[in-house]
Amino acid sequence: ALERIAGDVFVHSRYCVDQRFSREKWRAYYQFWIRKSCEGRADVVLVAERDDQVVGFITIVRGKNGTQAKIELVGVAAAAQNAGVGRILLLTALQWCVEAEISYITIVTQGSNVVLQRVLQKSGFLTRSCRLYYHKWFTDAQVIRG
């Protein structure tokens, strides 16, 4: 169920908007990531259920020093979006951090993911930095001339 959600929800990802990554390729990337998170990459994977259906998840990875962590993945199934599931997952993750004696947590998201940004801001997160990343794919026929 988590892989299905992961394959559908990351439409703001840089991989999704990059024309060199097919839908199948970026879906497989996030499905692999959530699978590995459940297999131990993440310190905790919290899962939201509604009416006996899995509708979302959030993953937390503790930093090497033990007092910091990062949220790596947040996914809410389309049918459960705009129902507060993401906020509940986030608040539950923050409670886990308090209990685990985490003093600082970060999360990175895409600029186009306004919904998550709003949830983060309402939950007390502050913007630490904004970055723009650019890339260009070259074909074999292209030559750079100075």
Side-chain angles (χ1 to χ4, degrees):
L2 299 182
E3 286 183 32
R4 179 182 39 77
I5 294 169
D8 292 336
V9 299
F10 294 102
V11 296
H12 294 286
S13 159
R14 63 182 181 265
Y15 303 109
C16 178
V17 298
D18 189 324
Q19 295 177 353
R20 286 262 180 124
F21 288 89
S22 67
R23 176 172 169 74
E24 295 77 26
K25 194 170 188 176
W26 67 259
R27 289 183 82 230
Y29 174 76
Y30 285 104
Q31 290 168 333
F32 177 78
W33 192 348
I34 190 63
R35 184 177 338 112
K36 287 300 183 185
S37 294
C38 292
E39 293 172 352
R41 173 183 167 76
D43 290 281
V44 67
V45 177
L46 301 172
V47 176
E49 293 182 352
R50 186 173 69 185
D51 300 326
D52 295 323
Q53 298 285 322
V54 173
V55 295
F57 60 82
I58 191 167
T59 67
I60 305 169
V61 175
R62 188 188 290 260
K64 292 179 183 173
N65 69 3
T67 62
Q68 296 182 1
K70 63 181 172 178
I71 295 172
E72 287 196 335
L73 295 173
V74 180
V76 176
Q81 291 179 3
N82 300 312
V85 173
R87 181 161 167 76
I88 291 168
L89 280 166
L90 182 62
L91 293 175
T92 305
L94 296 178
Q95 183 61 43
W96 181 89
C97 288
V98 168
E99 292 169 8
E101 299 181 354
I102 301 293
S103 60
Y104 186 78
I105 189 161
T106 60
I107 183 171
V108 175
T109 191
Q110 305 298 313
S112 61
N113 195 345
V114 175
V115 171
L116 181 56
Q117 290 180 53
R118 287 183 181 147
V119 170
L120 293 169
Q121 291 164 355
K122 287 179 181 178
S123 300
F125 280 77
L126 301 174
T127 302
R128 183 175 77 187
S129 68
C130 294
R131 297 180 182 156
L132 299 174
Y133 293 92
Y134 295 91
H135 69 272
K136 178 178 177 57
W137 293 102
F138 292 98
T139 64
D140 293 337
Q142 289 177 315
V143 177
I144 305 296
R145 296 189 186 356

